[in-house]
């Protein structure tokens, strides 16, 4: 049986993806901080904090088996005006979303290099290419993951390792309620509350987690995956327009959506 390692697999997109891969015949190692019991016998929960590099390295080594697919899905979001965001909150956003992803990739790469194959899929976001006001640090962390994907892809291609990122648009998950929202400065930045409310409304009416899970599986089966994928029909259009429109115009359009 092929093996999948997925982070952030205890809920939302990660949980649905773990279930899909298990149904497809994979043994799934689900890494997350939250304790959870999976109904599927082929999904093994492993308690792990991805920001703890030593713990990640130890747990990946303890698997002592081939790793066919790695999905780096652990992450969360913060919101609020840049000016009033605590620096420590911004650092923690990057610590989980970017450096947590890095810790897992660094632990898995020696395994994949030894077996001379494997696929790494990173959960990014449409917000990586369309920076969202009042989600600046979330957008920045996902943009960093896109850059990491593109660079790593070229570095490891000689070892038979494929690297790609999936950029979902709005998805209906517990991610919305888990967002760390700051109200500081909202009396100054008067559009903030309305903008965040609009984001959360779109998320709650977004794609299902199963749609994303099936997309992850589809990508994992590709012999020559693209560097970046977008999930959601309308988001394909948004990303395409961002590429062809002048940056001033595309950024202006995004801004008008959240005022």
């Amino acid at each position: 049986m092929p093996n999948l390692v997925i982070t952030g697999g205890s809920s939302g997109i990660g949980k649905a993806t773990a279930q899909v891969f298990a149904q497809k015949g994979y043994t799934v190692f689900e890494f997350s901080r939250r304790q959870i019991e999976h109904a599927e016998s082929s999904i093994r929960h492993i308690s792990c904090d991805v920001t703890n590099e030593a713990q990640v390295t130890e747990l990946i080594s303890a698997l002592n088996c081939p790793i066919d697919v790695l999905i780096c899905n652990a992450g969360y979001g913060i919101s609020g005006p840049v000016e009033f965001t605590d620096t420590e909150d911004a650092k923690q956003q990057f610590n989980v979303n970017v450096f947590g992803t890095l810790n897992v990739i660094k632990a898995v790469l020696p395994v994949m290099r030894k077996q001379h194959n494997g696929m790494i899929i990173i959960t990014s976001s449409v917000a990586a290419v369309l920076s969202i006001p009042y989600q600046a640090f979330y957008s920045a962390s996902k943009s960093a993951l896109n850059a990491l994907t593109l660079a790593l892809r070229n570095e490891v291609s000689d070892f038979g390792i494929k690297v790609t990122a999936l950029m979902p648009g709005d998805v209906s998950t517990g991610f919305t309620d888990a967002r760390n929202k700051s109200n500081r400065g909202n009396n100054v930045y008067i559009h903030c509350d309305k903008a965040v409310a609009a984001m959360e409304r779109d998320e709650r009416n977004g794609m299902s987690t199963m749609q994303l899970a099936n997309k992850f599986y589809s990508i994992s089966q590709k012999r020559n995956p693209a560097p970046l994928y977008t999930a959601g029909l309308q988001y394909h259009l948004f990303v395409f327009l961002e590429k062809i429109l002048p940056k001033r115009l595309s950024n202006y359009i995004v801004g008008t959506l959240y005022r």
Side-chain angles (χ1 to χ4, degrees):
M1 294 175 66
N3 297 316
L4 164 71
V5 170
I6 182 168
T7 64
S10 63
S11 62
I13 296 170
K15 184 177 180 180
T17 302
Q19 291 170 342
V20 165
F21 274 79
Q23 292 164 5
K24 298 292 186 179
Y26 278 72
T27 298
V28 178
F29 299 96
E30 176 267 304
F31 283 58
S32 60
R33 290 186 300 174
R34 183 185 306 173
Q35 291 288 346
I36 183 174
E37 291 186 8
H38 292 275
E40 297 84 354
S41 60
S42 56
I43 301 179
R44 175 184 168 191
H45 168 73
I46 299 174
S47 296
C48 179
D49 179 354
V50 295
T51 67
N52 186 331
E53 183 175 8
Q55 183 187 60
V56 170
T57 302
E58 179 182 355
L59 290 172
I60 291 294
S61 178
L63 295 181
N64 194 30
C65 67
I67 299 174
D68 300 281
V69 180
L70 166 66
I71 298 179
C72 297
N73 180 66
Y76 78 108
I78 66 173
S79 66
V82 168
E83 180 183 352
F84 290 93
T85 299
D86 287 338
T87 300
E88 288 306 311
D89 287 341
K91 288 181 178 179
Q92 183 62 8
Q93 178 78 105
F94 273 77
N95 197 28
V96 174
N97 291 8
V98 179
F99 294 105
T101 296
L102 176 64
N103 290 339
V104 179
I105 289 173
K106 288 177 64 177
V108 166
L109 278 177
V111 178
M112 288 188 171
R113 282 195 293 104
K114 183 177 180 180
Q115 64 196 30
H116 208 79
N117 69 71
M119 180 176 289
I120 297 171
I121 308 175
I122 296 173
T123 302
S124 181
S125 171
V126 169
V129 294
L130 296 168
S131 293
I132 310 299
Y134 311 111
Q135 287 201 84
F137 298 102
Y138 177 75
S139 292
S141 71
K142 293 300 185 177
S143 181
L145 289 178
N146 280 11
L148 175 65
T149 297
L150 297 175
L152 181 64
R153 180 182 173 93
N154 285 327
E155 291 182 9
V156 301
S157 61
D158 287 346
F159 304 108
I161 303 170
K162 305 163 189 174
V163 185
T164 183
L166 176 59
M167 301 186 296
D170 294 313
V171 186
S172 180
T173 71
F175 178 92
T176 302
D177 293 328
R179 178 179 285 110
N180 180 8
K181 293 187 289 187
S182 171
N183 295 317
R184 293 180 60 221
N186 289 13
N187 60 323
V188 178
Y189 291 89
I190 60 174
H191 298 293
C192 183
D193 286 338
K194 182 180 177 182
V196 173
M199 296 171 204
E200 295 188 339
R201 182 179 63 251
D202 291 342
E203 289 168 353
R204 289 192 171 95
N205 293 296
M207 295 175 284
S208 72
T209 56
M210 198 54 65
Q211 285 178 272
L212 264 294
N214 286 318
K215 182 70 173 178
F216 273 115
Y217 180 76
S218 175
I219 292 171
S220 75
Q221 302 305 299
K222 293 183 181 296
R223 296 184 62 183
N224 186 26
L228 301 172
Y229 288 93
T230 305
L233 185 59
Q234 69 269 42
Y235 303 106
H236 282 276
L237 175 61
F238 295 157
V239 171
F240 173 73
L241 290 176
E242 194 280 333
K243 291 179 181 178
I244 64 172
L245 293 177
K247 184 64 69 177
R248 181 193 299 269
L249 178 57
S250 64
N251 193 54
Y252 170 78
I253 293 171
V254 170
T256 61
L257 297 175
Y258 297 101
R259 292 183 70 88

